[in-house]
Amino acid sequence: MPRSFLVKKYFAKQKPNYSELECQNDTSLDQFRLAELSSADSSPASTCFTSGLVFDLSILPTLYLSTSQIESPSPGPLDLSSPCSLSSSASSSGEEDEGRTSDPPSPEPVLTYAPRQRMKCTGVMAHISPAEEGEERETSSISSSISSSSGSSSSTAATRPAFLCKHCPKEYTSLGALKMHIRSHTLPCVCTTCGKAFSRPWLLRGHIRTHTGERPFSCPHCNRAFADRSNLRAHLQTHAEVKKYQCGVCSRTFSRMSLLQKHSSSGCCSTSG
DNA sequence: CTGGGGATGGGGCCC
DNA sequence: TGGGCCCCATCCCCA
């Protein structure tokens, strides 16, 4: 299977440092922190920061069958002790704004169009049944996968163990990677505000911002705020004279890969295809 | 059609 | 080994 997705980028060892983002984050962060703290006891949506988050695998089957039970975020016996539980501190601590942000977008090298296939596995939910939700079962399945794969005629397995996902054809070279991947099937992090489930807590945090309206990331150029750093990064491209993505045919640059792809597919590069 | 924002998924790296 | 975060990528929608 294609493993190109697992290939780390050229700057793999570089510590990202969007100094520009940091600056604005430092200044705006307090505002958001205050807003967050103040809203934490006033805004209904913000309740999800304190008690609206439940990560209970057992509810997932119910979740996909019917969301009626979770549409009313009643402060029931929430399992805040769960490893996936989030608290107001988790967000208000500004773990992602605290200066861990990355390097300056600065004069980045313009990238020519080199589309990468996004790997998706579909039909996942159909495989998830209440009886399958347990991590133990997952891991036991992993073990069996390992043994079966190592015994199979896989060329890669000859040198390293292959950790196969039982929900999809994906395979990994480490158990940790597989376990993390499995979370994308089990979706243990559930937003009790809307019932949407996520594979990782920080994904849920980002989602929660859509409820709270929190936008910790501000553009230093126009002060526009974003809930997601990636979106800010994309936005910063709009301020750049030379965009990050360049058409290999007409040299026109775009702020987003998707725009370049649209551009390519809509005519410019039709000479070659 | 293009440009851009919002939201989200996922692998890799660091602690 | 797991959690948290980073970054990239993608889809959807709207102006």
Side-chain angles (χ1 to χ4, degrees):
Chain A
M1 71 183 293
R3 302 295 293 277
S4 59
F5 207 79
L6 301 179
V7 178
K8 189 54 181 177
K9 296 77 188 176
Y10 57 92
F11 52 84
K13 301 298 289 185
Q14 288 184 350
K15 195 64 179 180
N17 175 26
Y18 279 86
S19 58
E20 287 185 324
L21 307 189
E22 279 188 62
C23 297
Q24 53 80 19
N25 279 339
D26 285 343
T27 55
S28 60
L29 182 57
D30 287 343
Q31 302 174 22
F32 287 106
R33 282 175 176 165
L34 291 174
E36 202 173 284
L37 291 173
S38 61
S39 64
D41 55 352
S42 59
S43 170
S46 66
T47 55
C48 61
F49 275 98
T50 56
S51 65
L53 302 179
V54 178
F55 309 90
D56 188 346
L57 293 178
S58 64
I59 79 170
L60 286 175
T62 302
L63 177 65
Y64 297 120
L65 291 175
S66 170
T67 58
S68 59
Q69 296 182 357
I70 50 180
E71 280 178 349
S72 56
S74 59
L78 302 178
D79 183 14
L80 291 179
S81 61
S82 167
C84 275
S85 295
L86 296 180
S87 65
S88 58
S89 61
S91 175
S92 58
S93 63
E95 73 282 355
E96 54 214 356
D97 323 321
E98 218 164 67
R100 307 192 60 148
T101 43
S102 17
D103 19 28
S106 59
E108 289 180 352
V110 175
L111 305 179
T112 52
Y113 183 25
R116 298 166 62 182
Q117 287 290 353
R118 179 169 184 164
M119 298 172 64
K120 279 193 173 181
C121 41
T122 55
V124 168
M125 291 312 157
H127 295 319
I128 300 178
S129 65
E132 291 182 312
E133 278 306 319
E135 282 278 343
E136 294 148 35
R137 180 178 172 94
E138 298 289 0
T139 50
S140 64
S141 165
I142 292 167
S143 303
S144 59
S145 296
I146 296 171
S147 57
S148 62
S149 65
S150 60
S152 65
S153 58
S154 172
S155 59
T156 55
T159 55
R160 69 186 70 175
F163 296 84
L164 306 178
C165 176
K166 70 168 186 170
H167 298 296
C168 71
K170 281 195 172 186
E171 60 180 272
Y172 298 84
T173 56
S174 73
L175 180 60
L178 175 58
K179 282 187 174 182
M180 187 175 63
H181 164 75
I182 286 176
R183 292 177 68 104
S184 66
H185 295 304
T186 59
L187 302 177
C189 305
V190 181
C191 173
T192 54
T193 300
C194 67
K196 188 167 177 64
F198 299 85
S199 59
R200 306 181 205 179
W202 59 265
L203 273 174
L204 175 57
R205 271 198 290 270
H207 165 77
I208 286 172
R209 293 197 189 108
T210 67
H211 294 309
T212 63
E214 181 191 15
R215 293 167 177 261
F217 307 100
S218 300
C219 174
H221 302 292
C222 65
N223 287 328
R224 189 183 180 110
F226 299 84
D228 184 85
R229 179 180 283 112
S230 293
N231 288 338
L232 170 58
R233 189 177 298 110
H235 166 78
L236 286 173
Q237 281 290 309
T238 67
H239 291 298
E241 291 183 6
V242 178
K243 308 296 192 299
K244 186 175 183 178
Y245 304 97
Q246 183 177 46
C247 174
V249 175
C250 67
S251 297
R252 186 175 176 181
T253 59
F254 300 86
S255 60
R256 293 186 176 212
M257 173 68 79
S258 59
L259 295 178
L260 175 54
Q261 288 175 336
K262 285 181 182 179
H263 166 78
S264 299
S265 62
S266 66
C268 173
C269 302
S270 61
T271 55
S272 59

